[in-house]
Amino acid sequence: MTEEEVVTRLQQAAAAKKKAEEDAAETFAAAVADALRAGLKPKTVAAATGYSYETIRRIARAHDIGRLREPTVTSRKKALPTDD
C-alpha cells in the first residue's frame, strides 16, 4: 500500500468510529429518556448505567423532560406569610 492509501484508510476508519460513537450516544440518550418517562428515578438510571446523576439530568433536559425532583429549598420570600 502506498502512503496515500494508508492515510485514506486511516481517515475512513476514524470517520466510521466517530459516527458509531455518535449513534451510540443517541441510542443511549433515547433509552435514558424512555426510562425516565416510564417512571424510573434518576438515581436508579444513574446506578444502572454507571453515569452520574448530572449526566442523566442533562439528557433529561435535552429531551424536554421536566424537573426530576421537587426543589428542596424555598426562598424566604415564598416561605413568609403575606399580609394581604
Side-chain angles (χ1 to χ4, degrees):
M1 290 178 106
T2 67
E3 183 177 331
E4 185 177 318
E5 291 171 331
V6 172
V7 170
T8 300
R9 185 172 175 211
L10 281 171
Q11 290 171 337
Q12 290 171 342
K17 180 179 183 273
K18 183 177 180 180
K19 178 159 179 26
E21 289 171 347
E22 290 170 354
D23 291 346
E26 289 175 18
T27 301
F28 175 74
V32 167
D34 290 344
L36 293 171
R37 286 187 183 112
L40 260 62
K41 294 185 177 197
K43 180 180 177 182
T44 305
V45 175
T49 61
Y51 284 81
S52 70
Y53 180 92
E54 179 62 18
T55 299
I56 302 304
R57 186 194 68 75
R58 288 179 183 173
I59 291 170
R61 180 168 284 176
H63 283 83
D64 294 325
I65 297 173
R67 286 189 175 271
L68 300 177
R69 63 181 174 83
E70 291 301 315
T72 56
V73 178
T74 303
S75 70
R76 288 180 56 116
K77 188 175 184 180
K78 288 181 183 178
L80 295 176
T82 59
D83 294 329
D84 288 340

